[in-house]
Amino acid sequence: MSLWTPRFVRKLQELPQLRDVASDDQNLGLQARLVIDRDTASRFGIRPQTIDDTLYDAFGQRQISTIFTQSNQYRVVLEVKPQFQQSLDDLQHIRLRSAAGDRRH
Protein backbone atom coordinates (compact mmCIF):
# COMPACT_ATOMS: atom_id res chain seq x y z
CA MET A 1 0.00 0.00 0.00
CA SER A 2 2.83 2.43 0.80
CA LEU A 3 4.04 1.98 -2.78
CA TRP A 4 0.76 2.68 -4.57
CA THR A 5 -0.88 5.35 -2.42
CA PRO A 6 1.58 8.15 -3.28
CA ARG A 7 1.46 7.23 -6.98
CA PHE A 8 -2.32 7.22 -7.00
CA VAL A 9 -2.52 10.56 -5.15
CA ARG A 10 -0.03 12.17 -7.58
CA LYS A 11 -2.08 11.03 -10.58
CA LEU A 12 -5.28 12.34 -9.04
CA GLN A 13 -3.61 15.69 -8.27
CA GLU A 14 -2.80 16.05 -11.96
CA LEU A 15 -6.48 15.90 -12.93
CA PRO A 16 -7.84 19.44 -13.48
CA GLN A 17 -11.34 18.52 -12.29
CA LEU A 18 -10.05 17.59 -8.79
CA ARG A 19 -8.71 19.94 -6.12
CA ASP A 20 -7.05 19.44 -2.73
CA VAL A 21 -6.34 15.74 -3.25
CA ALA A 22 -4.70 14.22 -0.18
CA SER A 23 -4.26 10.89 1.56
CA ASP A 24 -4.63 9.90 5.20
CA ASP A 25 -2.24 6.97 4.77
CA GLN A 26 -0.08 6.65 7.88
CA ASN A 27 2.85 4.29 7.45
CA LEU A 28 4.17 4.60 11.00
CA GLY A 29 1.02 3.60 12.91
CA LEU A 30 1.22 1.31 15.89
CA GLN A 31 0.82 -2.39 15.27
CA ALA A 32 0.79 -5.40 17.55
CA ARG A 33 0.14 -9.10 17.14
CA LEU A 34 -1.93 -10.72 19.85
CA VAL A 35 -2.15 -14.49 20.29
CA ILE A 36 -5.17 -15.68 22.27
CA ASP A 37 -4.78 -18.75 24.47
CA ARG A 38 -8.25 -20.09 23.68
CA ASP A 39 -8.02 -22.99 26.14
CA THR A 40 -7.30 -20.69 29.08
CA ALA A 41 -9.90 -18.16 27.96
CA SER A 42 -12.46 -20.96 27.71
CA ARG A 43 -11.68 -22.15 31.25
CA PHE A 44 -12.50 -18.65 32.48
CA GLY A 45 -15.69 -18.54 30.42
CA ILE A 46 -14.35 -15.91 28.01
CA ARG A 47 -15.25 -16.28 24.33
CA PRO A 48 -12.91 -15.08 21.53
CA GLN A 49 -15.65 -12.66 20.41
CA THR A 50 -15.60 -11.07 23.88
CA ILE A 51 -11.85 -10.52 23.56
CA ASP A 52 -12.27 -9.04 20.09
CA ASP A 53 -15.10 -6.73 21.19
CA THR A 54 -13.20 -5.57 24.28
CA LEU A 55 -10.06 -4.75 22.29
CA TYR A 56 -12.10 -2.87 19.69
CA ASP A 57 -13.86 -0.91 22.45
CA ALA A 58 -10.47 0.06 23.87
CA PHE A 59 -8.45 0.71 20.73
CA GLY A 60 -11.05 1.31 18.03
CA GLN A 61 -13.89 3.77 17.75
CA ARG A 62 -17.22 2.13 18.46
CA GLN A 63 -20.35 4.14 17.78
CA ILE A 64 -22.62 3.55 20.78
CA SER A 65 -25.43 6.03 20.22
CA THR A 66 -26.78 8.85 18.06
CA ILE A 67 -28.12 12.08 19.46
CA PHE A 68 -30.83 13.56 17.26
CA THR A 69 -31.66 17.26 17.27
CA GLN A 70 -34.04 19.19 15.04
CA SER A 71 -31.34 20.00 12.50
CA ASN A 72 -28.48 17.57 13.14
CA GLN A 73 -27.34 14.15 14.25
CA TYR A 74 -24.39 13.65 16.57
CA ARG A 75 -22.69 10.28 16.82
CA VAL A 76 -21.52 9.20 20.27
CA VAL A 77 -18.24 7.28 20.03
CA LEU A 78 -16.74 5.08 22.74
CA GLU A 79 -12.95 5.08 22.99
CA VAL A 80 -10.31 5.22 25.69
CA LYS A 81 -8.17 8.28 26.14
CA PRO A 82 -5.34 8.47 23.58
CA GLN A 83 -2.65 8.33 26.28
CA PHE A 84 -3.86 4.80 27.09
CA GLN A 85 -3.53 3.64 23.45
CA GLN A 86 0.18 4.22 22.90
CA SER A 87 1.99 1.20 24.31
CA LEU A 88 1.75 -2.56 24.56
CA ASP A 89 1.85 -2.02 28.33
CA ASP A 90 -1.63 -0.51 28.01
CA LEU A 91 -2.97 -4.03 27.36
CA GLN A 92 -2.36 -4.74 31.05
CA HIS A 93 -5.25 -2.43 31.91
CA ILE A 94 -7.81 -4.27 29.76
CA ARG A 95 -10.39 -6.20 31.78
CA LEU A 96 -12.63 -8.91 30.34
CA ARG A 97 -16.00 -10.03 31.66
CA SER A 98 -16.48 -13.79 31.76
CA ALA A 99 -19.75 -15.52 30.99
CA ALA A 100 -20.32 -15.65 34.78
CA GLY A 101 -19.90 -11.88 35.02
CA ASP A 102 -16.47 -11.96 36.70
CA ARG A 103 -13.81 -9.52 35.52
CA ARG A 104 -10.51 -10.99 34.34
CA HIS A 105 -7.33 -9.51 32.90
Side-chain angles (χ1 to χ4, degrees), residues 30-34 55 58-59 80-95 105:
L30 297 176
Q31 182 177 1
R33 182 168 186 258
L34 181 67
L55 290 171
F59 298 102
V80 299
K81 291 183 177 183
Q83 66 259 31
F84 299 121
Q85 298 178 341
Q86 300 302 311
S87 167
L88 286 176
D89 293 333
D90 295 328
L91 288 171
Q92 295 180 49
H93 304 291
I94 301 295
R95 301 293 182 258
H105 62 271

Side-chain angles (χ1 to χ4, degrees), residues 26-91:
Q26 297 178 7
N27 293 330
L28 300 176
L30 297 176
Q31 182 177 1
R33 182 168 186 258
L34 181 67
V35 177
I36 299 170
D37 182 345
R38 291 176 182 248
D39 292 333
T40 301
S42 178
R43 281 197 306 272
F44 286 115
I46 299 171
R47 298 182 354 227
Q49 185 64 49
T50 302
I51 296 170
D52 188 52
D53 290 344
T54 302
L55 290 171
Y56 188 80
D57 288 345
F59 298 102
Q61 290 187 345
R62 183 176 303 283
Q63 180 181 331
I64 59 170
S65 180
T66 303
I67 299 172
F68 296 95
T69 65
Q70 288 182 331
S71 60
N72 256 328
Q73 297 178 13
Y74 299 92
R75 310 242 189 277
V76 179
V77 175
L78 172 71
E79 67 177 344
V80 299
K81 291 183 177 183
Q83 66 259 31
F84 299 121
Q85 298 178 341
Q86 300 302 311
S87 167
L88 286 176
D89 293 333
D90 295 328
L91 288 171

